[in-house]
Amino acid sequence: MNEKSLEVCILAAGIGTRMNSSIPKVMQPLAGRPMLGHLINSVEALNPANIHIVIGPETDSVRQAFPSQKINWVTQTERLGTGHAVMQIMPHLNKDARLLILLGDAPLISSKTMQTLIDVNAHLTVLTSVLDDPRSYGRIVRDEGDSISAIVEDRDATEEQKKINEINTGVMAANANALSAWLPQLSVQNAQKELLLTDIISIANKESMLVKPVIAEDKMEISGVNTFGQLARLERMLQQRYARDLQDAGVNILDPQRFDKRGELLCGSDVFIDANNIFEGRVTLGDRVHIGANCHIIDSIIESDTVIKDYSHLQGCHVGPDSQIGPFARLRPGTFLRKKVTIGNFVEVKNTKIGENTKASHLTYLGDANIGEHVNIGAGSITCNYDGLKKYQTRIDDNVFVGSNTAFVAPIVIGAGSTIGAGSVLTKDVEPETLALSRAKQKTVTTWTRPKDKD
Ligand code: UD1
Ligand code: CA
């Protein structure tokens, strides 16, 4: 173990030229969270004395995304290379510290791997990996022993060096005082005309310092992201790992290739997840919950034995046990369904409580409503909750039977046990146990003929 205190530096000032995006590269989402967020999480597990993050100018969005973290944000006003980026943090660094350097665009290095690197007893340690396709990465030039003599960037490499398939992951650990002696020796004599951090390896070698590699076995961990293609490949690798972890924990995921978790997914036993589902934020699925294909579920709780049928969209809702939702249902924030509730196709529910055994099976909008038990909402019924200015409540008490195509003009109360005739537009409260109708009487016109073509 190393006795020195640990400080961490994350380089995140790059503009992501290869993405042609106005969003800073480290803010591009991976599994629903900015790349930088993944890294900060892993770093925090090491409990370092300080976390320095180098960002570019005009990147307030990056700072604002991580407000509560104990981070020392350091601005690199001119982007003159990775070596130059590390120089920016040197005045903030305790010279006796051990410094772990990470790249913001290699987001999945685990805390375990970071710790392994820190613990190696050398002046400088470099995390490397052996890739089938080493293109675009810096190549590791080893000397006869097991130490590294140089890192050559892809653009500076000779044809011979390009064949080396051991690459620089970009993760390094060094003693701060040694680093402060190496950095001023960097020069811009390279293809990129930048101060390259990787050049400290040959500088350290000249000073007979020990430079040791640690080989990372896990290809996903070390993957760097420069293009949207690489981001998408990393996303898939990560999603397959999430799926496998859930499968190992006893969740029946039909196809791990078609599974997306962008947040936290907590599952009970005998949960089944069909293909092409997206889980976002914090989602909880109770025992025996069945999720059909192509659903998108965000920040929701679904209690046991409930079935969510294909193509349903749920956000910020609580679905009670034994319920049937969808296909093609939309449950919006503030939906609270108690138990054995049926929400069928093309039904939208928002900010609404629905009691036990109540059904809205087809083509309905229920917004800002409080609906009792054993209510049947006929097809095409709508709560008219909005007058263009304000929202109003609809209350439908227990055992109400609502005929098809009813409009509830809120605010309105529909008393328990009442029946509403189909096609009604209700503007007044309905007494319990009564029948309410508000529609024109059907007429029969015998003198009328349908227009006909002349010829
Ligand atoms: C870098 C390494 C390369 C390694 C690869 C791994 C160098 C010179 N090269 O190359 O050996 O194989 O990562 O993915 O280190 N950054 C700044 N300020 C700058 C320039 C970059 O903060 O002035 C940050 C970027 O935001 C990025 C990181 O440093 O997060 C790496 O920069 P990038 O330009 O992507 O380096 P690569 O060409 O990928
Ligand atoms: Ca990169």
Side-chain angles (χ1 to χ4, degrees):
M1 278 297 289
N2 223 290
E3 302 294 304
K4 291 173 178 291
S5 74
L6 173 69
E7 301 204 28
V8 178
C9 159
I10 303 177
L11 306 187
I15 39 175
T17 328
R18 289 159 278 194
M19 283 184 172
N20 188 27
S21 165
S22 58
I23 301 169
K25 179 162 62 169
V26 293
M27 292 305 289
Q28 296 289 352
L30 180 67
R33 187 205 286 174
M35 286 201 265
L36 187 57
H38 289 269
L39 215 45
I40 292 174
N41 249 23
S42 308
V43 163
E44 281 184 333
L46 302 175
N47 203 16
N50 268 312
I51 304 173
H52 312 274
I53 304 187
V54 184
I55 48 171
E58 292 144 26
T59 45
D60 282 348
S61 60
V62 184
R63 288 171 198 244
Q64 281 157 9
F66 306 99
S68 62
Q69 323 280 349
K70 286 184 204 133
I71 294 169
N72 175 32
W73 297 98
V74 181
T75 309
Q76 183 191 21
T77 35
E78 277 185 289
R79 295 179 181 92
L80 302 177
T82 47
H84 181 256
V86 175
M87 285 175 185
Q88 310 310 305
I89 69 138
M90 296 313 282
H92 304 267
L93 201 60
N94 176 350
K95 294 290 173 287
D96 294 324
R98 184 115 172 109
L99 180 69
L100 174 71
I101 302 171
L102 300 162
L103 306 184
D105 65 353
L108 294 183
I109 315 276
S110 67
S111 3
K112 189 164 158 261
T113 302
M114 293 177 190
Q115 193 63 56
T116 311
L117 197 69
I118 297 159
D119 289 345
V120 173
N121 202 2
H123 298 102
L124 178 60
T125 49
V126 179
L127 187 69
T128 73
S129 187
V130 178
L131 300 183
D132 294 337
D133 179 9
R135 273 178 300 177
S136 89
Y137 286 96
R139 309 296 205 284
I140 302 292
V141 182
R142 288 197 181 227
D143 62 15
E144 284 85 64
D146 67 347
S147 67
I148 304 179
S149 57
I151 295 178
V152 189
E153 286 305 292
D154 189 62
R155 292 213 253 166
D156 297 307
T158 62
E159 284 310 309
E160 216 36 49
Q161 286 168 331
K162 281 193 173 159
K163 289 182 192 146
I164 300 173
N165 57 2
E166 186 178 10
I167 60 100
N168 171 31
T169 65
V171 185
M172 298 182 191
N175 292 340
N177 55 359
L179 193 64
S180 62
W182 300 329
L183 288 173
Q185 300 179 48
L186 294 179
S187 87
V188 291
Q189 275 162 19
N190 50 68
Q192 277 158 283
K193 305 271 180 289
E194 287 184 350
L195 297 170
L196 307 177
L197 179 64
T198 41
D199 285 346
I200 63 169
I201 281 81
S202 45
I203 295 169
N205 266 290
K206 272 188 216 129
E207 295 181 357
S208 309
M209 301 272 193
L210 195 57
V211 183
K212 284 211 161 175
V214 170
I215 301 182
E217 301 297 340
D218 185 338
K219 301 291 180 282
M220 184 182 81
E221 265 196 53
I222 56 93
S223 290
V225 174
N226 295 320
T227 63
F228 282 121
Q230 288 168 329
L231 183 62
R233 281 193 285 280
L234 193 56
E235 174 83 30
R236 265 312 88 211
M237 280 195 253
L238 185 57
Q239 291 301 347
Q240 285 184 36
R241 186 156 307 185
Y242 286 161
R244 199 187 332 136
D245 289 348
L246 283 161
Q247 287 173 322
D248 290 348
V251 181
N252 187 355
I253 297 179
L254 182 90
D255 185 357
Q257 316 261 22
R258 290 179 292 165
F259 170 84
D260 286 272
K261 176 170 85 86
R262 301 174 190 159
E264 201 181 350
L265 177 61
L266 303 166
C267 295
S269 58
D270 292 303
V271 167
F272 174 76
I273 298 174
D274 209 326
N276 278 330
N277 284 292
I278 302 175
F279 299 94
E280 217 174 298
R282 195 184 158 90
V283 175
T284 305
L285 308 179
D287 295 340
R288 297 169 300 281
V289 163
H290 180 116
I291 310 288
N294 301 298
C295 297
H296 192 159
I297 303 179
I298 308 158
D299 292 322
S300 294
I301 296 171
I302 296 163
E303 291 196 57
S304 43
D305 299 294
T306 283
V307 179
I308 311 289
K309 296 176 191 164
D310 301 358
Y311 297 100
S312 294
H313 189 281
L314 286 74
Q315 178 167 22
C317 59
H318 186 126
V319 181
D322 241 332
S323 298
Q324 304 281 320
I325 310 298
F328 297 99
R330 177 156 187 224
L331 304 187
R332 291 170 53 199
T335 296
F336 190 98
L337 313 182
R338 281 189 210 285
K339 195 178 173 185
K340 294 190 174 170
V341 173
T342 302
I343 300 294
N345 40 234
F346 309 108
V347 174
E348 175 181 348
V349 185
K350 184 215 73 168
N351 192 28
T352 288
K353 288 194 180 69
I354 298 183
E356 233 176 285
N357 284 302
T358 285
K359 292 186 172 129
S361 299
H362 338 260
L363 300 155
T364 285
Y365 173 59
L366 302 170
D368 303 307
N370 197 338
I371 302 171
E373 300 177 355
H374 292 277
V375 173
N376 188 71
I377 310 275
S381 295
I382 303 281
T383 52
C384 310
N385 59 330
Y386 185 49
D387 62 1
L389 195 65
K390 281 191 183 164
K391 301 278 170 69
Y392 301 93
Q393 290 283 325
T394 299
R395 201 182 93 200
I396 303 174
D397 291 346
D398 298 347
N399 299 305
V400 168
F401 183 92
V402 179
S404 297
N405 212 27
T406 296
F408 300 94
V409 182
I412 194 164
V413 176
I414 312 298
S418 61
T419 303
I420 314 297
S424 293
V425 176
L426 301 175
T427 54
K428 286 188 282 192
D429 290 356
V430 173
E431 291 299 310
E433 310 293 341
T434 58
L435 168 69
L437 283 171
S438 81
R439 61 185 184 217
K441 272 199 177 148
Q442 187 169 333
K443 282 197 266 184
T444 306
V445 180
T446 50
T447 52
W448 185 82
T449 51
R450 220 192 280 177
K452 289 197 177 96
D453 278 345
K454 286 200 180 89
D455 36 302

